[in-house]
């Protein structure tokens, strides 16, 4: 397949993304016509097991979530570096393998550090 | 030539969009039937023979239900979330091959595309949870972000091994690379397959990793405040996601369309539905993880083991025959045994406090 023809694939993906909007939009719009509409203050209050809602849910939450998120960003970026290497792994030979092994050891050291520091503990 | 390709893609797109809702509807039927059998019940039997028309009846019911939006909710986020979650899931099918030439868009970065598009799920679920302005929704959404982020890293690492050996990111090229033997039949491939399967369960929020929608503690999790058709769309995304990720597993580890006697596309379907049935089976037999166990399992077991697996794959490919396999097996076993000794004792203890 030539380069010009190959870029057509991306046009195909764009077409699919646009056409795929029909699948969620059609039933939502159809339901809008068919379904009854009777809003009320009790019905529209946020669900809290039948008692009146106390406090605003849009408030502070555990800092632990941020720690996991930061760890995720670090590892995800490093993993992205792994992919181009993985594609050429066979032709990179022993030197390429050794270089990536060293990189993985650094990653592993980072994981050990996180673990030691207690960043992976929930409580 | 260009026009022929465009027409082929057009036909493929129409087929995906027409078949996806049908696949989803009958997956719900299959899941209810199989779960019912596991629990010694019959499942749906009333609507049509063997309850085969049950999904249609459910669809009509969902269409006629009132769409309730909580008073304080962010209207836009609440409405957009089900759309944002369904569209990427449908796009996944573009890179799943049914045969050497039976693929809608044969991207040479197909695998990367699949991983990138799956990870947008997190955003949609968080939109739903945050936009609902309900405590249960927000808790479900926060858990989702922690869970999907935690399980994405080992998943991507385990798939990197497949890329290393096949030397390509294209899904069709990866299937072609399994001519001699399926990747699951190698020590590194087996490890990667198990890690992939566990992470796949977590990525599509299925038991035992269904904390984002844990119905016994969070009511409905991120979709607590959804009703009617919008609610159904979340289920559509979940079932189609399970199906797509099973199809990816079939292509990457189980040799895709390769197999004797049957035509290739049928093999793809057999392998995909096989993996789907494993997912349903797990749902029927396993209880749910606790959030601290869930995160400990991802960060302290799956991540070190999948990192080691990348090294093991390298050794397997570089060293001559018996030594490479031996080294890979020893490395993987050592990693699993060490990490499990480190995290299991702590995770089995009841925590003093598990909230939010």
């Amino acid at each position: 397949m030539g380069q010009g023809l190959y870029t057509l694939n991306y046009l195909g993906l764009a077409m699919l993304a646009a056409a795929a909007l029909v699948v969620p939009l059609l039933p939502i719009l159809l339901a809008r016509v068919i379904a009854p509409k009777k809003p009320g203050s009790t019905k529209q209050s946020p669900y809290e097991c039948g008692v009146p809602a106390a406090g605003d849910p849009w408030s502070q939450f555990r800092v632990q979530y941020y720690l996991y998120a930061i760890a995720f960003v670090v590892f995800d970026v490093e993993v992205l570096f792994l992919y181009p290497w993985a594609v050429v792994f066979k032709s990179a030979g022993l030197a390429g393998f050794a270089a990536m092994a060293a990189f993985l050891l650094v990653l592993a050291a980072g994981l050990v550090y996180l673990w030691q520091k207690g960043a992976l503990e929930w409580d | 030539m260009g026009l022929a390709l465009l027409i082929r893609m057009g036909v493929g797109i129409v087929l995906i969009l027409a078949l996806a809702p049908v696949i989803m509807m009958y997956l719900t039927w299959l899941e209810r039937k199989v779960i019912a059998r596991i629990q010694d019940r019959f499942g749906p039997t009333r609507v049509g023979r063997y309850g085969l028309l049950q999904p249609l009846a459910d669809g009509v019911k969902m269409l006629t239900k009132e769409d309730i939006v909580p008073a304080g909710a962010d209207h836009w986020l609440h409405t957009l979330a089900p759309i944002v979650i369904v569209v990427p899931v449908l796009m996944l099918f573009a890179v799943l091959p049914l045969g050497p030439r039976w693929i809608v868009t044969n991207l040479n970065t197909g695998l990367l595309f699949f991983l990138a598009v799956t990870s947008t799920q997190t955003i949609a679920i968080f939109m739903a949870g945050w936009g609902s302005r309900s405590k249960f929704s927000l808790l479900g959404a926060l858990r989702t972000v922690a869970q999907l982020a935690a399980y994405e890293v080992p998943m991507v690492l385990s798939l990197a091994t497949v890329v290393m050996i096949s030397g390509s990111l294209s899904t069709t090229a990866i299937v072609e690379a399994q001519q001699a033997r399926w990747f699951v039949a190698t020590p590194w491939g087996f490890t990667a397959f198990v890690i992939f399967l566990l992470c796949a369960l977590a990525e599509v929020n299925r038991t035992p990793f269904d904390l984002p929608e844990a119905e016994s503690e969070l009511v409905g999790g991120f979709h607590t405040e959804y009703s009617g058709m919008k609610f159904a769309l979340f289920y559509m995304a979940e079932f189609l996601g399970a199906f797509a990720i099973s199809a990816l597993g079939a292509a990457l580890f189980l040799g895709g369309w390769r197999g004797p006697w049957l035509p290739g596309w049928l093999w793809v379907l057999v392998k995909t539905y096989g993996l789907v049935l494993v997912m349903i089976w797990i749902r029927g037999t396993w209880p749910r993880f606790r959030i601290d166990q869930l995160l400990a399992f991802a960060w302290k077991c799956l991540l070190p083991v999948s990192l080691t697996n990348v090294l093991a794959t390298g050794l397997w490919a570089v060293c001559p025959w018996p030594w490479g396999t031996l080294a890979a097996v020893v490395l993987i076993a050592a990693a699993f045994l060490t990490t499990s000794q480190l995290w299991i004792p702590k995770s089995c203890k009841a925590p003093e406090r598990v909230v939010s």
Side-chain angles (χ1 to χ4, degrees), chain B residues 89 92-93 96 114 196 239-249 272 276:
Chain B
V89 171
L92 293 179
F93 287 88
L96 295 173
F114 192 100
F196 167 79
F239 277 99
L240 285 180
F243 189 79
I245 219 154
S246 302
L248 185 76
T272 307
V276 168

Side-chain angles (χ1 to χ4, degrees), chain A residues 43-117:
Chain A
K43 195 189 269 177
Q44 283 185 294
S45 63
Y47 182 77
E48 215 154 299
C49 303
V51 295
D56 191 357
W58 287 351
S59 57
Q60 287 184 319
F61 41 85
R62 278 177 86 105
V63 71
Q64 205 63 38
Y65 288 111
Y66 288 103
L67 285 179
Y68 282 117
I70 292 168
F72 165 72
V73 170
V74 173
F75 279 95
D76 214 36
V77 170
E78 306 212 45
V79 156
L80 267 188
F81 283 124
L82 203 68
Y83 266 68
W85 169 80
V87 175
V88 296
F89 164 68
K90 286 231 163 131
S91 52
L94 216 55
F97 177 55
M100 191 44 80
F103 180 67
L104 284 182
L105 280 181
V106 176
L107 253 182
L111 184 65
V112 170
Y113 176 75
L114 271 180
W115 199 330
Q116 285 288 309
K117 274 279 172 187

Side-chain angles (χ1 to χ4, degrees), chain B residues 283-353:
Chain B
R283 177 174 164 199
T285 45
W286 276 19
R288 184 182 300 125
F289 273 119
R290 219 166 49 206
I291 179 89
D292 59 318
Q293 294 170 331
L294 174 103
L295 292 171
F297 182 55
W299 286 103
K300 298 178 180 174
C301 176
L302 290 183
L303 181 56
V305 173
S306 57
L307 267 175
T308 318
N309 194 32
V310 174
L311 273 183
T313 314
L315 284 176
W316 182 84
V318 170
C319 299
W321 185 65
W323 306 116
T325 308
L326 204 66
V329 171
V330 169
L331 254 183
I332 295 162
F336 178 70
L337 290 176
T338 333
T339 53
S340 58
Q341 284 313 305
L342 286 172
W343 69 271
I344 285 178
K346 192 177 179 330
S347 287
C348 288
K349 248 188 7 218
E352 281 145 40
R353 187 179 75 110

Side-chain angles (χ1 to χ4, degrees), chain A residues 5-6 35-38 43-44 46-48 54 56-58 62 65 68 72 79 83 86 90 94 97 121 123, chain B residues 2 64-67 69-71 107-108 130 133 135 138 149 156 164-165 225 299-300 314 318 346 351 356:
Chain A
L5 279 179
Y6 185 75
K37 200 84 188 135
K38 275 192 203 149
K43 195 189 269 177
Q44 283 185 294
Y47 182 77
E48 215 154 299
D56 191 357
W58 287 351
R62 278 177 86 105
Y65 288 111
Y68 282 117
F72 165 72
V79 156
Y83 266 68
K90 286 231 163 131
L94 216 55
F97 177 55
E121 306 301 328
D123 39 17
Chain B
T64 51
K65 286 280 170 190
E66 182 177 355
D67 172 29
V69 183
L107 290 186
N108 55 9
W130 185 262
R133 202 167 190 174
K135 292 188 189 82
L138 188 66
V156 176
M164 281 165 71
I165 299 303
E225 297 293 351
W299 286 103
K300 298 178 180 174
V318 170
K346 192 177 179 330
S356 63

Side-chain angles (χ1 to χ4, degrees), chain A residues 10 12-18 20, chain B residues 16-17 85-96 104-105 113-114 117 244:
Chain A
Y10 293 99
L13 284 179
M15 277 166 23
L16 177 58
Chain B
I16 289 176
L17 297 185
I85 202 169
V86 166
V87 171
V89 171
L90 290 168
M91 290 185 71
L92 293 179
F93 287 88
V95 292
L96 295 173
V104 176
T105 54
F113 173 82
F114 192 100
V117 172

Side-chain angles (χ1 to χ4, degrees), chain B residues 132-206:
Chain B
S132 298
R133 202 167 190 174
S134 156
K135 292 188 189 82
F136 293 112
S137 306
L138 188 66
L139 283 179
L142 283 171
R143 286 180 178 189
T144 311
V145 175
Q147 170 180 328
L148 295 193
Y151 282 84
E152 191 166 314
V153 180
M155 169 130 148
V156 176
L157 274 172
S158 70
L159 294 184
T161 59
V162 172
V163 179
M164 281 165 71
I165 299 303
S166 58
S168 173
L169 285 166
S170 149
T171 41
T172 47
I174 290 173
V175 178
E176 294 288 356
Q178 298 175 63
Q179 191 139 31
R181 84 183 102 175
W182 297 357
F183 283 153
V184 74
T186 54
W188 58 268
F190 182 74
T191 317
F193 181 63
V194 172
I195 296 173
F196 167 79
L197 211 60
L198 289 171
C199 294
L201 285 171
E203 290 282 318
V204 294
N205 307 328
R206 291 187 58 90

